[in-house]
Amino acid sequence: MLNFRTDLASERRDIYQKVQGTEGKLNGIESQKEQINEKLSVERVKITNEEGEKAIGKPKGIYTTIDIKNLKIAQEEEINKASEVLAKELGDIISMHIDKQGEILVVGLGNESVTPDALGPKTINEIEVTRHFINYMPQYVKEGTRMVSAISPGVLGTTGIETVEILKGVVQNINPKLVIVIDALASRSIERISSTIQISDTGIVPGAGVGNTRKEISQKTLGVPVIAIGIPTVVELATLVSEGIDIFIERLQEKAESNEYLNRLQQNDKYEEVKEALNIGEYNMIVTPKEIDGLIENMKEIVAQGINLAM
Amino acid sequence: MLNFRTDLASERRDIYQKVQGTEGKLNGIESQKEQINEKLSVERVKITNEEGEKAIGKPKGIYTTIDIKNLKIAQEEEINKASEVLAKELGDIISMHIDKQGEILVVGLGNESVTPDALGPKTINEIEVTRHFINYMPQYVKEGTRMVSAISPGVLGTTGIETVEILKGVVQNINPKLVIVIDALASRSIERISSTIQISDTGIVPGAGVGNTRKEISQKTLGVPVIAIGIPTVVELATLVSEGIDIFIERLQEKAESNEYLNRLQQNDKYEEVKEALNIGEYNMIVTPKEIDGLIENMKEIVAQGINLAM
Amino acid sequence: MLNFRTDLASERRDIYQKVQGTEGKLNGIESQKEQINEKLSVERVKITNEEGEKAIGKPKGIYTTIDIKNLKIAQEEEINKASEVLAKELGDIISMHIDKQGEILVVGLGNESVTPDALGPKTINEIEVTRHFINYMPQYVKEGTRMVSAISPGVLGTTGIETVEILKGVVQNINPKLVIVIDALASRSIERISSTIQISDTGIVPGAGVGNTRKEISQKTLGVPVIAIGIPTVVELATLVSEGIDIFIERLQEKAESNEYLNRLQQNDKYEEVKEALNIGEYNMIVTPKEIDGLIENMKEIVAQGINLAM
Amino acid sequence: MLNFRTDLASERRDIYQKVQGTEGKLNGIESQKEQINEKLSVERVKITNEEGEKAIGKPKGIYTTIDIKNLKIAQEEEINKASEVLAKELGDIISMHIDKQGEILVVGLGNESVTPDALGPKTINEIEVTRHFINYMPQYVKEGTRMVSAISPGVLGTTGIETVEILKGVVQNINPKLVIVIDALASRSIERISSTIQISDTGIVPGAGVGNTRKEISQKTLGVPVIAIGIPTVVELATLVSEGIDIFIERLQEKAESNEYLNRLQQNDKYEEVKEALNIGEYNMIVTPKEIDGLIENMKEIVAQGINLAM
């Protein structure tokens, strides 16, 4: 299998097609695009058989991608419109698996104190849970309300427990009919960062995008359908640099250039050319350790103590 | 002038020497290294004349760099030891400019709500200020205590005011004898992130490392000596990719390889090779927009609202 | 003068009237109420002469109070409606002092790391500043846009500098025509916490409500008109207990009860009666040191270290 | 049973003794005090039979209280000393229940985004977990290391799930030999806030102190011993006011005073007297809704939007 280094099915399909040189339809992979408005589009990819599974290394199921342009400067109405599109796509997938009143457990994966990994736990704080009202104050709840509960189980590094073990226990005790997991993903492309939402009904392998594979969270391990909502928040550095080098090698080959070209290239500042080639655009892209929040706490202590001592 | 894309004088000197092919001593630049212990080293660079200034594009003055290995897994004693080294170097530079009781204003530059830019404001919160005690409760303060005050002026993007304008006003009103500014810097090299501290007595141009030049904060603009403490927290992506490409071009040239080599290279996964070449080491380096904190707030709203609507 | 222990002019007037036994109109104090809708009302108090000043200990000027019911469970539309009312009242007061294009500096008082004192700095982060656009990129700004800048100067305890000294410096350097300061206030009544907004054009004395008087921030000290927006976020404990005791003394006197009554009272749990008398309502009122954020950081360290050592 | 409104066994015993007028030894309750140093003391209370249980409404078991004076201005060495005392007392209680290698699950109760309730989750972030190392990289772990895992399950209001249901599931899946829960408590006395640590081996009823009783977390519900570490972070307002009134009633009775006294009292500002009576000391005690963090977010939006609209 190719090493895709991305969690997005649509990116994987594109890479597969590029490598195979197949532009047209793939056996076992169906796609359909819809442009909602100038800023929002939806692509629904369906993997229908084993051939499709093998091609892009993802299990059979639905992979819907919502793309939002320029989220960076989002206005309230754009945020509302994007939520509505997500609600529709998510609602469609939920109703393929359970009925209108089937209880749902929403799970926010990730580490709240690591900025690019905090999306899951932060989202959980905003979910409107109803399970306890229905259990303890049924008289205040409109009939037919769906039971919803929500949990942020933490990450293996800080709990010492595989996330799937925690979730198995919770699912056994509260018996939801379906689980939704929210996770920050790695992507291959800078433009997708915080502007793409992937919804799939095949579960998730936490950390898969960055090579830290954890045990899978899916119907196989939890016993109920698992819908995963994934949002790219980072690109891994080495992936990006490899890609940058590929682009330059292509240019070298196109121009069939000799060592003179290489010499010239090295003397120029390739900076602007790279910026353009990597499609960095208006973003201010930085490279930083994932642990930067913690490192800054350490440094803060050193500098503050250092200054206090010097006085 | 070379485009150095780093704020560290010692990195600039190294780049300059590499480009010029001069290994030995440079006119106008003096250096001296000291290894404190296995994990801590200090390098004192002094720019002594205009030739030195021109060579590395930094004004005459002192540039001391403290390097800390493996800060990532720092224990309390290492943090304490590093603070002591910083206190000594900083104390030495302060005493070149003012006497033991000269009042000092400490300034934390940067934006507290942007993780890699938050170091300055976070440090300010820990500074032991004495100015108000000395003014309002002199009876409780040991005689000879230095007056210290501290401020986080914010950044142009959120205040609408050049930082130097704010500082000029404060300096005029409280009349310190010296200003210390703390700022997060950009560096060229991944290893320096949150493990190098540069102290210089020539002030600072906020945002200089990432190409967002703001007005300089220095004796020239504030009227009193300005000591800058800078800590690299990010590497700019395009800088890093350019460097990655340089490394590969060098290898290509060394091997005087033809297109066959390029073809082979493209088919391999260069991922591991790049990882090694860029010296990424045990860090989990990610690429992310500087604005990631804000983007995640937006996305959180979309996903939470989307789920709530779908239920 | 009475010791009002509140920053709200309308509370002071009520206390004054109660103590004086004057129910009707006061010389030097004009009031006018408007009920906007079921949840929102506005009261405009104007102190017109020295008699009014003396009565309630506030300088001549306008004191407008906006009351919002049940902010606790506010929906987006309610937040929007309240903003509009604030915008109208604030706009009216601004236009009494400067013209449509007069430059404004917005100041967020308070300490961002002390929860009930963080309102000012948090608000500043959301202000749309335009000053730097107008100065550096006038071509992108609609003609006639007002110059707005914003700053969070910190508090005396962490800066060592009187806030007014910082602001004087900034005002001298950037020359706004008007200053708006935002501050968390103390109130006497629990219901007002985070549900009342006072706008006045007479400036502010930071910390006045809780007895920590700092130097005044007003036209007298800054040289330009100062509009203060104050929101009660706390009630001081001793104030509240004094009030609770007053209520009980009143009841004692009404009933002209003897020691028998006192004896009985002491054996009952007065808890529910107190809850009702203090109008605590559905809130979960707690008493806590203002420094609770920092205390919890200390405790966290002790407990985590203690557990780690015990293992 | 008396309504104690405190989670601390030693406070309950004191109240019981006061109400009963029994100064000496109580049947079924053993106590022992130790003064560690000027700032630290330990009191070990043991409830040995049903009579003791009934007297103070707590189950049979050990209740150790560590008191720390002036934590507010704690230095690092004091924090370290307090951790050591906690480690010793906790270690003693652990070793009464399991052997040196018995696996432990540490649980942080409470809501991280509500300041006075955040202690549990914040502490969890600092626990050194070993379970995953022992499972996945046993070669790097010293033999005999105890397996430790840690989890913050959230609160019923945001998860919709009883905490005990989550914990039951986790315990069933990972099978620890003992559970330690950390929780913020309510106390009756202001001095105890963030300066007392209670360790007991009888589990916990979350929210018991503030009248929000949740299902108990104990050996009965989890099947393994449960040690609870509780730290008071708040006093409930109505409790405190009731107490304030009690104090005044006592004074009234002592003085056998008539209505004249009451009249005089009402004309004075009782403020300072109350402050002294409640033992508020150097703290800056405030009264605020538990939900203040969320209320301030709402208010911030209203004020920022209001100002932006007014410009």
Side-chain angles (χ1 to χ4, degrees):
Chain A
M1 200 183 88
L2 289 165
N3 193 339
F4 291 103
R5 296 189 194 285
T6 172
D7 292 317
L8 296 174
S10 58
E11 279 194 339
R12 289 191 172 202
R13 185 207 48 209
D14 293 348
I15 294 169
Y16 181 81
Q17 287 187 319
K18 199 180 157 198
V19 171
Q20 301 290 323
T22 58
E23 293 263 324
K25 237 191 127 195
L26 291 172
N27 190 344
I29 303 181
E30 293 170 10
S31 306
Q32 176 212 349
K33 267 202 174 176
E34 186 183 344
Q35 191 74 30
I36 308 286
N37 62 28
E38 222 179 77
K39 294 198 142 195
L40 278 164
S41 63
V42 175
E43 179 168 18
R44 299 175 195 93
V45 173
K46 202 168 163 181
I47 301 183
T48 55
N49 63 26
E50 274 185 34
E51 205 174 323
E53 282 190 336
K54 266 191 205 155
I56 68 170
K58 287 267 185 186
K60 269 183 283 184
I62 291 169
Y63 299 86
T64 296
T65 307
I66 301 169
D67 273 302
I68 310 160
K69 268 196 197 144
N70 279 332
L71 180 63
K72 191 180 166 185
I73 42 170
Q75 301 302 312
E76 207 173 292
E77 57 214 289
E78 283 162 31
I79 286 180
N80 290 344
K81 184 61 191 160
S83 322
E84 282 166 29
V85 173
L86 171 58
K88 197 202 151 294
E89 299 296 325
L90 179 61
D92 287 352
I93 299 179
I94 290 173
S95 64
M96 290 176 199
H97 293 281
I98 58 169
D99 67 25
K100 273 201 160 243
Q101 297 191 21
E103 180 171 350
I104 292 178
L105 168 65
V106 186
V107 177
L109 300 179
N111 187 343
E112 188 151 11
S113 44
V114 171
T115 307
D117 202 29
L119 183 66
K122 275 175 181 268
T123 303
I124 285 303
N125 291 336
E126 313 279 319
I127 296 298
E128 288 164 11
V129 295
T130 57
R131 189 174 182 274
H132 54 320
F133 290 129
I134 295 173
N135 280 340
Y136 299 112
M137 298 178 278
Q139 66 277 24
Y140 293 116
V141 183
K142 245 186 18 211
E143 205 164 332
T145 302
R146 192 198 286 278
M147 268 206 194
V148 178
S149 54
I151 188 176
S152 294
V155 295
L156 181 63
T158 59
T159 62
I161 314 172
E162 284 288 352
T163 303
V164 74
E165 289 180 280
I166 297 175
L167 295 182
K168 255 195 275 182
V170 177
V171 167
Q172 282 157 16
N173 271 275
I174 72 169
N175 288 310
K177 293 282 168 290
L178 182 142
V179 169
I180 296 176
V181 298
I182 304 159
D183 199 13
L185 306 179
S187 145
R188 275 190 95 104
S189 104
I190 283 176
E191 305 120 85
R192 287 194 182 276
I193 288 181
S194 267
S195 70
T196 290
I197 303 170
Q198 174 175 276
I199 317 166
S200 79
D201 63 354
T202 61
I204 206 166
V205 185
V210 291
N212 260 327
T213 323
R214 303 265 63 86
K215 282 182 194 152
E216 113 178 33
I217 297 169
S218 68
Q219 179 145 23
K220 210 161 64 192
T221 52
L222 296 188
V224 295
V226 176
I227 294 178
I229 299 179
I231 292 102
T233 58
V234 297
V235 181
E236 205 199 357
L237 175 61
T239 306
L240 205 63
V241 175
S242 304
E243 214 145 299
I245 291 169
D246 275 350
I247 294 167
F248 273 81
I249 288 175
E250 265 173 51
R251 294 195 180 183
L252 279 177
Q253 289 177 317
E254 276 165 24
K255 302 185 186 175
E257 302 271 4
S258 60
N259 270 347
E260 286 101 279
Y261 175 74
L262 290 173
N263 286 331
R264 244 182 310 129
L265 196 66
Q266 216 175 9
Q267 277 151 30
N268 295 331
D269 198 14
K270 282 168 306 299
Y271 180 81
E272 289 303 330
E273 220 173 324
V274 166
K275 227 170 153 171
E276 196 207 313
L278 288 177
N279 216 336
I280 292 179
E282 58 174 320
Y283 279 100
N284 200 348
M285 297 304 298
I286 54 167
V287 178
T288 197
K290 207 175 169 186
E291 303 81 359
I292 185 71
D293 303 74
L295 286 170
I296 281 182
E297 287 302 307
N298 277 350
M299 252 310 162
K300 173 197 79 179
E301 245 183 88
I302 291 175
V303 177
Q305 255 183 251
I307 293 177
N308 290 336
L309 284 174
M311 304 283 176
Chain B
M1 200 184 88
L2 289 166
N3 191 339
F4 290 103
R5 295 186 193 289
T6 173
D7 291 316
L8 296 173
S10 58
E11 280 194 339
R12 288 190 173 204
R13 184 208 49 209
D14 293 347
I15 294 169
Y16 182 80
Q17 287 188 316
K18 198 180 156 198
V19 170
Q20 300 291 324
T22 58
E23 294 263 325
K25 237 191 127 195
L26 292 172
N27 190 345
I29 304 181
E30 293 170 10
S31 306
Q32 175 214 348
K33 267 199 174 178
E34 184 183 345
Q35 190 75 30
I36 307 286
N37 63 27
E38 220 178 80
K39 294 198 143 196
L40 278 163
S41 63
V42 175
E43 179 168 18
R44 300 177 194 90
V45 173
K46 202 167 164 184
I47 302 183
T48 55
N49 63 25
E50 274 185 33
E51 204 173 328
E53 283 190 336
K54 266 192 204 152
I56 68 168
K58 287 267 186 188
K60 269 184 282 184
I62 290 169
Y63 299 86
T64 296
T65 307
I66 301 169
D67 273 302
I68 310 160
K69 267 196 198 144
N70 278 332
L71 180 62
K72 190 181 168 183
I73 42 170
Q75 301 302 310
E76 207 173 291
E77 57 215 288
E78 283 162 31
I79 287 180
N80 290 344
K81 185 62 191 158
S83 322
E84 281 165 30
V85 173
L86 170 57
K88 196 202 152 293
E89 299 296 325
L90 179 60
D92 287 352
I93 299 179
I94 291 172
S95 64
M96 292 176 197
H97 293 280
I98 58 170
D99 68 24
K100 274 205 162 237
Q101 296 190 23
E103 181 171 351
I104 291 180
L105 168 65
V106 187
V107 177
L109 301 179
N111 186 344
E112 187 151 11
S113 43
V114 171
T115 307
D117 202 28
L119 184 66
K122 275 175 183 269
T123 303
I124 284 303
N125 291 336
E126 313 279 320
I127 297 298
E128 287 164 12
V129 296
T130 57
R131 190 175 182 274
H132 55 319
F133 290 128
I134 295 172
N135 279 341
Y136 298 114
M137 297 178 279
Q139 68 276 25
Y140 293 116
V141 184
K142 247 192 5 219
E143 205 164 331
T145 302
R146 192 199 287 279
M147 268 208 196
V148 178
S149 54
I151 190 177
S152 294
V155 295
L156 180 64
T158 59
T159 63
I161 314 171
E162 285 288 353
T163 304
V164 73
E165 290 179 280
I166 297 175
L167 296 182
K168 256 195 274 182
V170 177
V171 167
Q172 283 157 17
N173 270 275
I174 72 170
N175 288 312
K177 293 282 167 290
L178 182 140
V179 169
I180 296 176
V181 298
I182 304 158
D183 199 14
L185 305 179
S187 146
R188 276 190 96 106
S189 104
I190 284 176
E191 305 119 85
R192 287 194 182 276
I193 289 182
S194 268
S195 69
T196 289
I197 304 169
Q198 174 175 276
I199 317 166
S200 79
D201 63 354
T202 62
I204 206 165
V205 186
V210 292
N212 261 328
T213 324
R214 303 264 64 87
K215 282 181 193 152
E216 114 179 31
I217 297 168
S218 68
Q219 180 145 21
K220 209 160 65 192
T221 52
L222 296 188
V224 295
V226 177
I227 294 179
I229 298 180
I231 292 103
T233 58
V234 297
V235 181
E236 204 197 358
L237 175 60
T239 307
L240 205 62
V241 175
S242 303
E243 214 144 298
I245 291 168
D246 275 351
I247 294 168
F248 272 81
I249 288 175
E250 266 172 49
R251 294 197 180 182
L252 279 177
Q253 290 178 318
E254 277 166 23
K255 303 186 185 173
E257 301 270 4
S258 59
N259 270 346
E260 284 103 277
Y261 174 74
L262 289 174
N263 286 331
R264 245 182 309 128
L265 195 66
Q266 215 174 10
Q267 277 150 30
N268 295 331
D269 199 12
K270 284 168 305 299
Y271 181 82
E272 288 303 331
E273 219 173 324
V274 167
K275 230 172 148 168
E276 197 208 312
L278 289 176
N279 216 336
I280 293 180
E282 59 173 322
Y283 279 100
N284 200 348
M285 297 304 297
I286 54 165
V287 178
T288 198
K290 206 172 170 190
E291 304 81 357
I292 185 71
D293 303 73
L295 285 170
I296 281 181
E297 287 303 306
N298 277 350
M299 252 310 161
K300 173 197 79 179
E301 245 184 87
I302 291 175
V303 177
Q305 254 183 252
I307 293 177
N308 290 335
L309 284 174
M311 302 284 175
Chain C
M1 201 184 86
L2 288 166
N3 192 340
F4 291 103
R5 297 189 193 284
T6 171
D7 292 315
L8 296 174
S10 58
E11 280 195 339
R12 288 190 173 204
R13 184 209 47 209
D14 293 347
I15 294 169
Y16 182 81
Q17 287 188 318
K18 198 181 156 198
V19 171
Q20 301 290 324
T22 58
E23 293 264 325
K25 237 192 126 193
L26 292 172
N27 190 346
I29 303 181
E30 294 170 9
S31 306
Q32 175 213 348
K33 267 203 174 176
E34 185 183 343
Q35 190 75 30
I36 308 285
N37 62 29
E38 221 179 79
K39 295 198 141 194
L40 279 163
S41 63
V42 175
E43 178 166 19
R44 301 179 194 90
V45 173
K46 205 168 161 179
I47 301 182
T48 55
N49 62 25
E50 272 185 36
E51 203 173 326
E53 283 189 336
K54 265 191 205 153
I56 68 170
K58 287 266 186 189
K60 268 184 283 184
I62 291 169
Y63 299 86
T64 297
T65 306
I66 302 170
D67 273 303
I68 310 161
K69 267 197 197 143
N70 279 330
L71 181 63
K72 190 181 168 185
I73 43 171
Q75 301 303 311
E76 207 174 293
E77 57 215 288
E78 282 162 31
I79 286 179
N80 291 344
K81 185 62 191 158
S83 323
E84 281 165 30
V85 173
L86 170 57
K88 196 199 152 294
E89 298 296 326
L90 178 60
D92 287 353
I93 298 179
I94 291 173
S95 63
M96 292 175 197
H97 294 280
I98 59 169
D99 68 25
K100 274 204 161 242
Q101 295 189 23
E103 181 171 351
I104 291 178
L105 169 65
V106 186
V107 177
L109 300 179
N111 186 344
E112 187 152 11
S113 43
V114 171
T115 306
D117 201 29
L119 184 67
K122 274 174 182 269
T123 303
I124 284 303
N125 290 336
E126 313 279 319
I127 297 298
E128 289 164 11
V129 296
T130 56
R131 190 174 181 275
H132 54 319
F133 290 128
I134 295 171
N135 280 341
Y136 299 114
M137 297 178 279
Q139 67 277 23
Y140 293 116
V141 184
K142 246 188 13 215
E143 205 164 331
T145 302
R146 192 198 286 278
M147 267 206 196
V148 178
S149 54
I151 190 177
S152 294
V155 295
L156 180 64
T158 59
T159 63
I161 313 171
E162 284 288 353
T163 304
V164 75
E165 289 179 281
I166 297 176
L167 295 182
K168 255 195 274 181
V170 176
V171 167
Q172 282 157 16
N173 271 275
I174 71 170
N175 287 312
K177 293 282 165 293
L178 182 142
V179 169
I180 296 175
V181 298
I182 304 158
D183 199 13
L185 305 179
S187 147
R188 275 191 97 104
S189 105
I190 284 176
E191 305 120 85
R192 287 196 183 274
I193 289 183
S194 269
S195 70
T196 290
I197 304 170
Q198 173 175 275
I199 316 167
S200 80
D201 63 354
T202 61
I204 206 166
V205 185
V210 291
N212 261 327
T213 324
R214 304 266 63 85
K215 283 183 191 149
E216 115 179 31
I217 297 169
S218 68
Q219 179 145 22
K220 210 161 64 192
T221 52
L222 297 188
V224 295
V226 176
I227 295 178
I229 299 180
I231 292 104
T233 59
V234 298
V235 181
E236 206 198 356
L237 176 61
T239 307
L240 206 61
V241 175
S242 304
E243 214 143 300
I245 291 168
D246 275 351
I247 294 168
F248 273 81
I249 289 175
E250 267 172 48
R251 294 195 181 182
L252 280 176
Q253 291 177 315
E254 277 166 22
K255 303 185 184 172
E257 302 270 5
S258 60
N259 269 347
E260 286 102 277
Y261 174 74
L262 290 173
N263 286 331
R264 246 182 308 126
L265 196 66
Q266 214 174 12
Q267 276 150 31
N268 295 331
D269 199 13
K270 283 167 306 300
Y271 182 80
E272 289 304 330
E273 220 173 324
V274 167
K275 227 171 152 169
E276 197 207 312
L278 289 176
N279 216 338
I280 292 181
E282 57 174 321
Y283 278 100
N284 201 349
M285 296 306 296
I286 54 167
V287 178
T288 197
K290 208 172 169 190
E291 305 80 358
I292 185 71
D293 303 73
L295 285 171
I296 281 183
E297 287 303 307
N298 277 351
M299 253 309 162
K300 172 197 80 178
E301 245 183 89
I302 291 175
V303 178
Q305 253 182 253
I307 293 178
N308 290 336
L309 284 174
M311 304 284 176
Chain D
M1 199 182 89
L2 287 166
N3 192 339
F4 290 102
R5 296 188 195 287
T6 172
D7 292 316
L8 296 174
S10 58
E11 281 195 338
R12 288 191 173 203
R13 185 208 48 210
D14 293 348
I15 294 169
Y16 182 81
Q17 287 187 319
K18 196 179 160 200
V19 170
Q20 301 291 324
T22 58
E23 293 264 326
K25 234 192 129 195
L26 291 172
N27 190 345
I29 304 182
E30 294 171 8
S31 306
Q32 177 213 346
K33 268 201 175 178
E34 185 183 344
Q35 191 75 28
I36 308 286
N37 62 28
E38 220 179 81
K39 293 198 143 197
L40 278 162
S41 63
V42 175
E43 178 168 20
R44 299 177 195 91
V45 173
K46 202 167 164 181
I47 302 183
T48 55
N49 62 25
E50 274 184 33
E51 204 174 325
E53 283 190 336
K54 267 191 205 152
I56 70 170
K58 287 266 186 189
K60 270 184 282 184
I62 292 168
Y63 299 85
T64 296
T65 307
I66 302 169
D67 273 303
I68 310 160
K69 267 196 199 146
N70 278 333
L71 180 63
K72 190 180 167 185
I73 42 170
Q75 301 303 309
E76 207 175 291
E77 59 216 288
E78 282 162 32
I79 286 181
N80 291 344
K81 184 63 191 160
S83 321
E84 280 164 31
V85 174
L86 170 57
K88 196 200 153 295
E89 298 296 326
L90 178 61
D92 287 353
I93 299 180
I94 291 173
S95 64
M96 291 175 198
H97 294 281
I98 58 169
D99 67 24
K100 274 204 159 238
Q101 296 190 22
E103 181 172 351
I104 292 179
L105 169 66
V106 187
V107 177
L109 300 179
N111 186 345
E112 188 152 11
S113 42
V114 171
T115 307
D117 201 28
L119 183 67
K122 275 175 182 268
T123 303
I124 285 303
N125 291 335
E126 314 279 319
I127 296 298
E128 288 164 12
V129 296
T130 57
R131 189 173 181 276
H132 55 318
F133 291 128
I134 295 173
N135 280 341
Y136 298 114
M137 297 178 279
Q139 67 276 23
Y140 293 116
V141 184
K142 248 191 8 217
E143 206 164 331
T145 302
R146 193 198 285 277
M147 267 207 195
V148 178
S149 54
I151 189 176
S152 293
V155 295
L156 181 64
T158 60
T159 63
I161 313 172
E162 284 288 352
T163 304
V164 74
E165 290 179 280
I166 297 175
L167 295 182
K168 256 195 274 181
V170 177
V171 167
Q172 282 156 17
N173 271 274
I174 71 169
N175 288 310
K177 293 283 167 289
L178 182 142
V179 169
I180 296 175
V181 299
I182 305 157
D183 199 14
L185 305 179
S187 146
R188 276 190 95 105
S189 103
I190 283 176
E191 307 119 84
R192 287 195 182 274
I193 288 183
S194 269
S195 70
T196 290
I197 304 170
Q198 173 175 274
I199 316 167
S200 80
D201 63 353
T202 61
I204 206 166
V205 185
V210 291
N212 262 326
T213 322
R214 305 264 62 86
K215 284 184 192 149
E216 114 178 32
I217 297 169
S218 69
Q219 179 145 21
K220 208 159 67 192
T221 52
L222 296 188
V224 296
V226 176
I227 295 178
I229 299 179
I231 292 103
T233 58
V234 298
V235 181
E236 206 198 356
L237 175 61
T239 306
L240 205 62
V241 175
S242 303
E243 214 144 298
I245 291 169
D246 274 352
I247 294 168
F248 272 81
I249 288 175
E250 265 173 50
R251 295 197 179 181
L252 280 177
Q253 290 177 317
E254 277 166 23
K255 304 186 184 172
E257 301 270 3
S258 61
N259 271 347
E260 287 101 278
Y261 174 73
L262 290 174
N263 286 332
R264 244 183 309 128
L265 196 65
Q266 214 173 11
Q267 277 150 30
N268 295 331
D269 198 15
K270 285 167 304 299
Y271 180 81
E272 289 303 332
E273 218 173 326
V274 167
K275 229 172 148 169
E276 195 207 313
L278 289 177
N279 216 336
I280 292 181
E282 60 174 320
Y283 280 99
N284 200 347
M285 296 305 296
I286 54 167
V287 178
T288 195
K290 207 173 171 189
E291 305 80 358
I292 184 71
D293 303 74
L295 285 170
I296 280 181
E297 287 303 305
N298 277 351
M299 252 311 161
K300 173 198 80 179
E301 246 183 87
I302 291 175
V303 178
Q305 255 181 250
I307 294 177
N308 290 335
L309 283 174
M311 302 284 173

